[in-house]
Amino acid sequence: MRAHRNDVYRARRSRGKAWPVILWILTGLIVLAVILFYAGQKYIVYDSDGSLHVVFPIMETPAPVTEDGQPETVDTEVVLEDPDYSGIVSDAGKGLTELHAQYLTADKITPDGLTRAASAVKAAGGNALVLQMKAPGGTLSWKSGVSDAAAYGVNGTAELADAIQTVKGQNIYLVAVVSTCVDTLMAERYAATALQTASGSAYTDGSGGWVDPYSTFIRTYLVSLCKELHDLGFDEVAFSYLQQPLAATELKYASQSGTPSRTDAVVSLAKYLRANLTATGLRVSAIVSADSILQDKAAQSGQDMAVFPKLFDRVCVFATADNVSTLQSAIAADSSFDAATRFVPFLAQAPESGSYVTTG
């Protein structure tokens, strides 16, 4: 029995002596790992997607050298190419009928005003009303439920839901005109949304205060307003001032680190608006600047007439009897563009054919 107890005791002592050795080995490994971590940091390489890996000098490919052992130089040139919009695929304009409409400015939009206008347009053989629901000043023509409208003091007071349903009951097609990049009150009251000059000051001109087309707030605000207009009964929205100023002033977009062109800025916003409204069933159109077309200032306005017909159901323009043909030729240059339904001039008097909006 004594010998058995001694054997057990010796076995326990042997296992006890092994623990210090294991602890020393673990401590050594930890110290080695720390040393390797700090010593190897200069060999860590981050990829463009955020992942990282370690590249040791022995694994790198030597840089090319000339015959006399000097580093080989490579001539490089940075080329900034214009964006290619030719790949835009759209079903814009499908299933439209001619628009024979009367235009009402914001000051005339009241419940009684809508009722009278509907009766007048029906009596004249028309089929639609085009209503300025958001003027360049920024105030809305209706009492909106969009919280930002109330928060920045731009909400209207007119309760139009009942009047709109009455108008719809007369089979009147409704188009809402919404000012896009000119919103004087919002640019003043929420300075972060303002379009900036090169010096960082807010850009304003005779049209009013301009807002940044890249502003996330402005984009979501516009979409929210348009969705509410659709719920009220509007069939189509026509964006006015979906452009940049017709001035050579250098502009700065606060939310963009690069220097996108004015066409990039306008097309980017246009694509966003269409993408976020098409699913509602709301037709999406734009009112273009006659000056940018007639004076060949599309590069300043950003309204590329090779792109707009692909993005919008209709392309509208304030015209006169003297220039309407020229404007139509420029806007409807593509033979696939159905000018009768998709080119919509705002005129003092109705033309003999095609779509139109009378302003008289």
Side-chain angles (χ1 to χ4, degrees), residues 115-130:
T115 302
R116 289 194 299 269
S119 299
V121 78
K122 291 291 285 187
N127 60 10
L129 289 175
V130 176

Side-chain angles (χ1 to χ4, degrees), residues 10 16 47 60 69 90 135 146 148 171 188 203 208 262 271 275 286 303 317 324 328:
R10 282 194 297 274
D47 292 329
E60 294 181 317
S90 174
V146 175
D148 290 324
N171 199 29
E188 291 176 352
Y203 181 88
R262 296 187 182 200
K271 292 172 67 176
Q303 295 180 326
V317 61
V324 65
Q328 179 174 336

Side-chain angles (χ1 to χ4, degrees), residues 14-347:
S14 297
R15 286 196 298 270
K17 290 180 179 179
W19 282 109
V21 175
I22 295 173
L23 289 175
W24 277 108
I25 292 173
L26 289 174
T27 302
L29 291 173
I30 293 172
V31 172
L32 179 62
V34 172
I35 293 173
L36 289 175
F37 174 76
Y38 285 101
Q41 282 188 337
K42 60 183 178 181
Y43 303 118
I44 297 175
V45 177
Y46 288 86
D47 292 329
S48 59
D49 61 358
S51 62
L52 57 85
H53 60 277
V54 179
V55 178
F56 293 104
I58 194 173
M59 300 168 59
E60 294 181 317
T61 302
V65 296
T66 61
E67 293 181 358
D68 58 357
Q70 297 300 315
E72 184 177 311
T73 60
V74 179
D75 293 330
T76 60
E77 181 182 2
V78 178
V79 179
L80 299 178
E81 297 182 350
D82 292 333
D84 181 10
Y85 302 120
S86 61
I88 296 177
V89 178
S90 174
D91 61 351
K94 302 296 183 183
L96 288 178
T97 57
E98 290 188 14
L99 193 71
H100 301 158
Q102 173 68 40
Y103 180 54
L104 266 67
T105 52
D107 58 301
K108 297 178 181 178
I109 299 175
T110 63
D112 290 340
L114 291 184
T115 302
R116 289 194 299 269
S119 299
V121 78
K122 291 291 285 187
N127 60 10
L129 289 175
V130 176
L131 312 177
Q132 188 182 45
M133 299 303 289
K134 179 176 181 287
T139 302
L140 306 183
S141 297
W142 81 104
K143 187 175 182 180
S144 171
V146 175
S147 59
D148 290 324
Y152 290 96
V154 298
N155 209 353
T157 57
E159 299 277 6
L160 300 179
D162 292 341
I164 287 174
Q165 291 308 310
T166 299
V167 170
K168 295 293 291 181
Q170 299 178 55
N171 199 29
I172 297 291
Y173 188 87
L174 290 180
V175 181
V177 174
V178 173
S179 183
T180 309
C181 291
V182 178
D183 189 325
T184 303
L185 288 177
M186 193 61 74
E188 291 176 352
R189 296 173 182 178
Y190 188 4
T193 68
L195 180 66
Q196 297 181 3
T197 63
S199 64
S201 60
Y203 181 88
T204 61
D205 61 14
S207 298
W210 292 71
V211 291
D212 189 333
Y214 287 105
S215 167
T216 301
F217 174 88
I218 291 297
R219 291 186 173 199
T220 55
Y221 175 57
L222 288 170
V223 168
S224 296
L225 293 178
C226 291
K227 287 183 175 179
E228 185 175 65
L229 289 168
H230 173 261
D231 293 340
L232 279 173
F234 281 85
D235 305 286
E236 185 171 337
V237 60
F239 291 110
S240 63
Y241 288 102
L242 182 52
Q243 63 179 85
Q244 293 299 269
L246 289 176
T249 307
E250 184 179 349
L251 303 174
K252 183 170 67 174
Y253 305 108
S255 59
Q256 296 296 298
S257 56
T259 54
S261 70
R262 296 187 182 200
T263 301
D264 292 342
V266 172
V267 172
S268 174
L269 177 56
K271 292 172 67 176
Y272 177 89
L273 294 171
R274 181 166 183 84
N276 285 275
L277 293 175
T278 300
T280 66
L282 192 69
R283 293 286 191 174
V284 182
S285 300
I287 301 174
V288 302
S289 166
D291 289 340
S292 69
I293 298 172
L294 298 174
Q295 299 177 24
D296 195 24
K297 291 186 176 182
Q300 287 182 333
S301 71
Q303 295 180 326
D304 189 331
M305 286 304 105
V307 179
F308 267 40
K310 296 180 180 180
L311 294 176
F312 295 108
D313 292 302
R314 303 187 210 265
V315 181
C316 315
V317 61
F318 280 85
T320 66
D322 295 331
N323 65 22
V324 65
S325 295
T326 303
L327 290 168
Q328 179 174 336
S329 297
I331 293 172
D334 189 334
S335 59
S336 64
F337 185 88
D338 181 9
T341 59
R342 301 184 63 198
F343 170 70
V344 184
F346 283 61
L347 295 162

